[in-house]
Each structure stands twice: as structure tokens, then as C-alpha cells.
Amino acid sequence: TTMAEVDVQSITTPVTILYCDACGMPPEYCEYGPDFETHCLPWLKKAHPHLLARLHGGRSTNNNDADDDNDDGNNAGPTAPWTTKERLIAFYTKYQPDKLDGIDGILEKYSGKEDKLFTALVKKYGPEPEDPFYLGSDSDDDDSDDGGVNEQLEGMDLGGNKKKRRGAAAKKVNKVDTRVIVQKILRNRKKAVTHVVGLDTAPGIKLKEASKAFSKRFAGSSSVKDKEIIIQGDHLEEVAEMIVTKFGVSGDAVFLDLDGEFVSYA
């Protein structure tokens, strides 16, 4: 048999490879990436449910519950935080739109050094654009996850009991004591945000300015909501240190929420 008599199709059969829209890897390898729970799994469930069931079995159940909760709450906001690529696109869209075509090259160049990349960008251009996920989708979770921090903050007596006074002296008594609580809240099992409660009780501090300072310091999103500052990432100790050193709040007035127990930073 000569080569001319061999059926070419019997030698090579084209194979179609599926790639994840969220991370760019084949779905079989998504679970080894950092965005599997927050981005890859929702995409698999929506686009290829049969493949999801074959690869991960019962994992889809937890996400079904989460989606049901979102449907019950009529949550129209984003269901996951930005990926690294989306953060970079938002950054260049705001500051340098002419560089959007080179996003993939930048990501490849700084692979594994994304934190340093964003730190350099914030230093050069300004604060990173705020992720809508941390602005709009935290309202219901904040009420349930804060463990009653606001109520406990109001109930904490740090200055001792004082006798009631009348007249002009009463104004001094009514002055709010400075009490700041820093806590970490987990989102989607892996993602974390740092909440700062009570910084508005510190004299001379404007929350929006403080939020911008946190955003610049940690090269991530930071926003003000209901007198709380919400910072992307786990920065519990660093935030407390910054409140003391940069904003001049006494360490005795700053508390870390460690699994529901308030520990003084001093």
C-alpha cells in the first residue's frame, strides 16, 4: 500500500479543545488556579453544566445554593470580584486607554508579580478603580457578617463611667470616644476584605480621604459604606498599624476582631 492510498482522515482527526472563559485554562485544570471558586466554577455551571457534573460532581450544589440566595434577594450586582485581567483593564481604561491593546503582554510579563505591578501603577497614576463587587454586593452580607460590631462598638466603655453634668460642661461629656475596630471578613471562601468600623469617631479624620490612603497603601480597592471603610484583601494587622502611625489614633482605641474577640492593638 502506497501513501497515496492511505485515507488522510484516518491518520489525523481534529480535536476541539475547550478553554475556560474566566482563566483561559482547560476546565480540567481550572481548580488549580486562584479564581476557581469565584470565576471558573460559575462559568462552568452556566456554560457547560454537564462537564461541571462530570469533573466536579457535587461542587455545583454549593453554588446552586448561593445562586438561589442571590435570586431570592433580587441581587442584580456582580457576583464575583474582578479577575487580575479585569482589574488591569479597569485601571488602564481610567488612566491610559491607549495601552489596553497590550494588556495580555503586560500580564504575561508580570505573571506571579501582580501585586508589585499594581503597587507601581498606583504610585504612578493614582488610586485603583473601585471594584463594583465590593461596593454593591456587600450590603446584605455586611449586616449578617459583622457579628454586631456596630452594636458592640457602641456598647464598649473605654473611658470609664462619668457623672452627668449640666450646662457648658455637658458638651465635653457628650463628645464621642474614639473606638476603632478592624476585622477581616471572608468572601466566597477564599477572598477576604478588611472592614474598619468607627474611624469616624477619631477627630480630624475624613473617611473618604482615609479610604484613598488605604487604597494607595495596599494597591487595591477601598470604599466607604455606611461609615465603614471596606478594603480589598486581608490586611488586618497592617491596617491597624496604619491607623495608629498615619492617622494618629491611640493604640488603646484600636481593636482587632479576632474570631469575635476584640483585642486591643496597643
Side-chain angles (χ1 to χ4, degrees):
T1 302
T2 64
M3 290 297 297
E5 297 174 345
V6 177
D7 186 359
V8 176
Q9 290 186 351
S10 66
I11 299 178
T12 58
T13 302
V15 178
T16 301
I17 300 178
L18 177 67
Y19 293 96
C20 175
D21 278 357
C23 70
M25 296 289 290
E28 292 84 354
Y29 299 96
C30 285
E31 62 181 315
Y32 301 107
D35 298 322
F36 174 66
E37 295 282 351
T38 56
H39 296 81
C40 303
L41 208 54
W43 172 80
L44 262 178
K45 179 190 169 186
K46 182 178 179 180
H48 302 280
H50 297 294
L51 181 60
L52 172 65
R54 181 169 65 85
L55 292 176
H56 304 292
R59 285 207 189 208
S60 59
T61 303
N62 295 332
N63 287 279
N64 286 333
D65 295 339
D67 290 342
D68 291 341
D69 292 341
N70 290 336
D71 293 340
D72 294 340
N74 296 321
N75 183 6
T79 58
W82 283 340
T83 62
T84 301
K85 183 174 182 178
E86 290 170 337
R87 286 176 63 192
L88 198 56
I89 290 175
F91 203 103
Y92 279 120
T93 299
K94 179 177 180 180
Y95 294 107
Q96 203 78 23
D98 57 315
K99 291 188 176 182
L100 286 172
D101 292 338
I103 292 291
D104 291 334
I106 295 174
L107 288 173
E108 183 177 356
K109 179 179 179 180
Y110 288 92
S111 178
K113 299 180 289 185
E114 289 83 358
D115 288 342
K116 293 183 179 180
L117 169 63
F118 281 99
T119 299
L121 289 174
V122 168
K123 185 177 181 180
K124 181 177 181 180
Y125 294 107
E128 182 179 351
E130 295 179 339
D131 188 339
F133 177 78
Y134 296 104
L135 292 176
S137 63
D138 288 336
S139 57
D140 295 335
D141 292 338
D142 291 344
D143 294 339
S144 59
D145 290 346
D146 63 8
V149 170
N150 287 317
E151 290 78 3
Q152 296 182 49
L153 182 63
E154 294 174 359
M156 294 173 66
D157 183 9
L158 304 181
N161 296 324
K162 299 180 180 179
K163 295 181 179 180
K164 294 183 178 180
R165 300 180 183 179
R166 297 179 180 179
K171 295 182 179 180
K172 297 181 180 180
V173 176
N174 291 332
K175 185 177 180 180
V176 179
D177 291 327
T178 299
R179 292 166 291 187
V180 183
I181 290 179
V182 184
Q183 61 175 171
K184 178 184 73 174
I185 296 179
L186 291 177
R187 300 290 189 213
N188 298 317
R189 300 176 188 171
K190 291 184 178 180
K191 300 291 183 179
V193 291
T194 303
H195 280 225
V196 180
V197 184
L199 192 58
D200 57 308
T201 63
I205 296 180
K206 296 181 179 180
L207 294 184
K208 287 187 177 181
E209 293 181 359
S211 177
K212 290 181 179 179
F214 287 129
S215 178
K216 184 176 181 179
R217 166 65 176 80
F218 301 111
S221 298
S222 178
S223 60
V224 179
K225 186 172 183 180
D226 298 330
K227 294 186 178 182
E228 294 185 20
I229 297 179
I230 304 172
I231 307 163
Q232 181 180 358
D234 178 7
H235 308 293
L236 195 71
E237 294 279 353
E238 295 92 336
V239 167
E241 179 184 5
M242 189 171 174
I243 291 173
V244 174
T245 58
K246 182 175 179 64
F247 300 117
V249 178
S250 172
D252 295 332
V254 180
F255 296 84
L256 303 180
D257 183 358
L258 303 178
D259 297 326
E261 180 181 354
F262 296 102
V263 179
S264 174
Y265 182 72

